Amino acid sequence: MTDALPAGERRQLPPPAAEGGAMGWLRKNLFSSWGNAVTTVVLLLLIFWLLSSFLDWAVVNAVWTAPTGQACRGHGACWALIHEKYRFIFFGTFPYQQQWRPLLAVMVMLAMLVSSADRRMWNTRLLWIWGIGSFLTFLLMFGQIHIPLGLILFAALAVGGLGMLLRGTVAQPPEIAGWRTLAAIGAVGIVLRLVGILPPWSLAIAPFDYVETSLWGGLPVTLILATYGLLFAFPYGVLLALGRRSDLPLIKGLCVGFIELIRGVPLISLLIMASVMLPLFLPSGMNIDKFLRALIAVILFAGAYIAEVIRGGLQALPKGQFEAADAMGLNYFQKTTLIILPQALRVVIPPLINTFIGFFKDTSLVLIIGIFDFLNAANQALVDPNWAGFPSEVYLFAAFVYFCFCFSMSRYSKYLEVELNKGTRR
């Protein structure tokens, strides 16, 4: 019996043993020549030396528990400092007995971010999650929330108007009537409130003791500034990018001037202006919380940079996409939201996430106006004379926390890029 193959086919032989498996990979990638082999050996020895020295300091000779820093002298890393100060590093000067509240707030924000990463949640459920999650976050941080009647009426007008805008052409008549009624109640209520017919009533929700923003610190401050700063900066950046490409000279000029002005100054300048100069221009008796002013400065700064990233995506689209949308008879809003923006955002995912990571780390600049985020709270932990002299441990711990967040965003960017480009990947 013979194992002859049909005419025209060749027998598939396995690769030589020296070129397959782990040994083959090593020969091909690390020891393919004398030069590569010497470089590989030198780098491996250097990595081994650095890693062994670090592990000896950070693990083998480390002190994990100690009453004061004096007990750590002459040993390796003093992780007892982190064990002693971790609550201050994570929550700053928030009242000690109430620090379970910022802990829950951080967990709520992380839950919102994880939910947003799931593509199956990209619908109206995500709006509910962020609405309820944001309310819980600020209720836990403040302890008490007083919602003025004017804000409730404005929310009714905004939700009703948005419902008519998005659902006006596809919803059933009863649903459209509901959106119109909600918007009308908001509009009429605002007018009555402005003329003084409606009283200055507010809805008070006060389950906990009030904690002012000057006592906030640590990781919740970093997450709130980064999350809500970028959450509001993103749609604002989209509008700036669209405005910069507008055919109307006035809108285009305003957007270009604003973007160039904001990009021309450092973030520290905006923070100082928001903290020091803005109160000088406010009417007497009117005061805006310093934390809110810092958040607005972050939004303005991030929005200008996000606008330029998105503009790059818009310019990368071929002209045929715009012409095809026009040929289908779509209006500007439909063409932008259904055809142009989804493709433009898919193109700019890597630089967009890179911008997000950059601003997440830039939140540490709020120290300049007296707000203590995670890094600055960690720095303040070194002020205690009982634990002075161990900055390496504190900054390594802070770097590890920052790395966890930034690396997570980077990996999610990679996953999202692959998922959204499945249809166009070659």
Side-chain angles (χ1 to χ4, degrees), residues 116-129:
S116 304
D118 190 348
R119 292 184 61 190
R120 294 172 298 181
M121 304 298 290
W122 291 3
N123 48 45
T124 54
R125 285 182 295 181
L126 199 59
L127 296 177
W128 285 103
I129 289 174

Side-chain angles (χ1 to χ4, degrees), residues 63-75:
V63 178
W64 301 91
T65 57
T68 63
Q70 190 63 31
C72 299
R73 307 292 180 190
H75 297 83

Side-chain angles (χ1 to χ4, degrees), residues 43-60:
L43 288 178
L44 286 177
L45 290 175
L46 180 62
I47 293 172
F48 175 78
W49 177 71
L50 291 175
L51 198 60
S52 61
S53 300
F54 177 77
L55 290 177
D56 184 64
W57 172 80
V59 179
V60 177

Side-chain angles (χ1 to χ4, degrees), residues 222-302:
T222 297
L223 286 181
I224 289 175
L225 286 175
T227 303
Y228 290 96
L230 294 173
L231 177 67
F232 289 103
F234 182 75
Y236 155 66
V238 170
L239 292 178
L240 281 178
L242 294 174
R244 184 160 188 170
R245 289 175 54 86
S246 174
D247 296 329
L248 300 176
L250 184 58
I251 293 179
K252 182 176 181 178
L254 288 174
C255 292
V256 171
F258 182 81
I259 291 172
E260 297 302 332
L261 175 64
I262 295 296
R263 290 203 306 167
V265 297
L267 177 57
I268 291 178
S269 300
L270 283 181
L271 290 171
I272 293 176
M273 290 176 64
S275 177
V276 178
M277 298 187 63
L278 181 61
L280 301 178
F281 299 98
L282 294 177
S284 178
M286 183 177 179
N287 184 32
I288 300 177
D289 187 86
K290 183 170 66 175
F291 189 86
L292 179 59
R293 279 179 268 155
L295 183 60
I296 293 174
V298 171
I299 292 173
L300 293 176
F301 198 75

Side-chain angles (χ1 to χ4, degrees), residues 166-388:
L166 298 179
R167 302 280 298 169
T169 57
V170 296
Q172 298 295 323
E175 182 181 344
I176 297 175
W179 294 121
R180 289 176 177 172
T181 303
L182 188 61
I185 291 174
V188 174
I190 289 175
V191 173
L192 294 178
R193 178 69 188 90
L194 290 176
V195 299
I197 297 178
L198 291 178
W201 177 81
S202 65
L203 175 63
I205 304 174
F208 311 116
D209 295 334
Y210 181 75
V211 177
E212 57 186 13
T213 55
S214 60
L215 297 178
W216 295 8
L219 189 59
V221 169
T222 297
L223 286 181
I224 289 175
L225 286 175
T227 303
Y228 290 96
L230 294 173
L231 177 67
F232 289 103
F234 182 75
Y236 155 66
V238 170
L239 292 178
L240 281 178
L242 294 174
R244 184 160 188 170
R245 289 175 54 86
S246 174
D247 296 329
L248 300 176
L250 184 58
I251 293 179
K252 182 176 181 178
L254 288 174
C255 292
V256 171
F258 182 81
I259 291 172
E260 297 302 332
L261 175 64
I262 295 296
R263 290 203 306 167
V265 297
L267 177 57
I268 291 178
S269 300
L270 283 181
L271 290 171
I272 293 176
M273 290 176 64
S275 177
V276 178
M277 298 187 63
L278 181 61
L280 301 178
F281 299 98
L282 294 177
S284 178
M286 183 177 179
N287 184 32
I288 300 177
D289 187 86
K290 183 170 66 175
F291 189 86
L292 179 59
R293 279 179 268 155
L295 183 60
I296 293 174
V298 171
I299 292 173
L300 293 176
F301 198 75
Y305 279 85
I306 291 174
E308 286 302 280
V309 173
I310 295 176
R311 187 171 69 89
L314 294 172
Q315 291 183 337
L317 293 183
K319 188 178 179 182
Q321 295 294 320
F322 297 86
E323 295 175 345
D326 292 333
M328 293 175 66
L330 301 179
N331 58 35
Y332 179 80
F333 180 78
Q334 294 172 325
K335 179 176 68 175
T336 303
T337 56
L338 299 177
I339 306 294
I340 305 304
L341 273 182
Q343 298 185 74
L345 294 179
R346 188 179 61 190
V347 171
V348 297
I349 287 175
L352 204 55
I353 297 296
N354 189 46
T355 305
F356 289 174
I357 291 175
F359 279 104
F360 177 76
K361 294 181 290 186
D362 282 348
T363 53
S364 59
L365 294 175
V366 295
L367 170 67
I368 200 72
I369 58 173
I371 295 176
F372 292 93
D373 73 323
F374 178 70
L375 180 61
N376 298 319
N379 194 33
Q380 287 299 308
L382 296 171
V383 175
D384 188 345
N386 291 327
W387 296 96

